[in-house]
Amino acid sequence: MDRVPVLKLGDILIVSIQIDLQDQSVLALQEDLADRVVATGARGVIIDITAVEIVDSFIGRMLATIAAISRMLDAETVVVGMRPAVAITLVELGLSLGGVRTALNLEKGVALLNHIDGAQIVAADR
């Protein structure tokens, strides 16, 4: 089973989904991410779904669940890189992802978390 890597940038954990998510990999991601939020004291989680071309209700629920878990552990979640077709599909499925903030890209996601928390997270030089 492939695991989704969780990277740390200052007070933020970054999850870049580059694989097709199966039930087991999602459960592993939820556990890994919850463990890392607690271990690092992260104030924010960014989930980059730029590589995700197709979504279903399972993916939508997974994003909402991860955001809820992170929020309970005192970390805000931002989903970045959502394609227009993905957004349309989620709305058509009735999954508005309440409580999940979104940003167009990673840079804007970091800026949003900085604004929310007032955290001092510095993006790497481009």
Side-chain angles (χ1 to χ4, degrees), residues 9 12 14 46 48 50 78-81 103-115 121-126:
L9 173 68
I12 297 176
I14 301 171
I46 294 178
D48 184 355
T50 303
V78 178
V79 174
V80 302
L104 292 178
N105 56 42
L106 183 60
E107 184 178 355
K108 289 184 179 197
V110 170
L112 178 58
L113 286 174
N114 279 332
H115 177 73
I121 304 165
V122 180
D125 289 336
R126 291 172 267 288

Side-chain angles (χ1 to χ4, degrees), residues 64 86 118:
V86 169

Side-chain angles (χ1 to χ4, degrees), residues 30-114:
Q30 289 175 353
E31 281 186 37
D32 292 347
L33 192 53
D35 289 344
R36 290 288 303 272
V37 167
V38 171
T40 63
R43 296 179 142 277
V45 173
I46 294 178
I47 302 173
D48 184 355
I49 62 169
T50 303
V52 176
E53 295 182 17
I54 299 171
V55 295
D56 56 16
S57 59
F58 174 71
I59 299 288
R61 285 192 310 272
M62 177 270 304
L63 293 172
T65 299
I66 287 175
I69 291 168
S70 297
R71 213 172 17 259
M72 294 195 75
L73 296 172
D74 197 28
E76 289 294 325
T77 300
V78 178
V79 174
V80 302
M82 188 177 301
R83 298 170 186 243
V86 169
I88 291 167
T89 301
L90 288 172
V91 170
E92 287 174 348
L93 291 171
L95 299 169
S96 62
L97 302 182
V100 178
R101 297 174 186 266
T102 60
L104 292 178
N105 56 42
L106 183 60
E107 184 178 355
K108 289 184 179 197
V110 170
L112 178 58
L113 286 174
N114 279 332

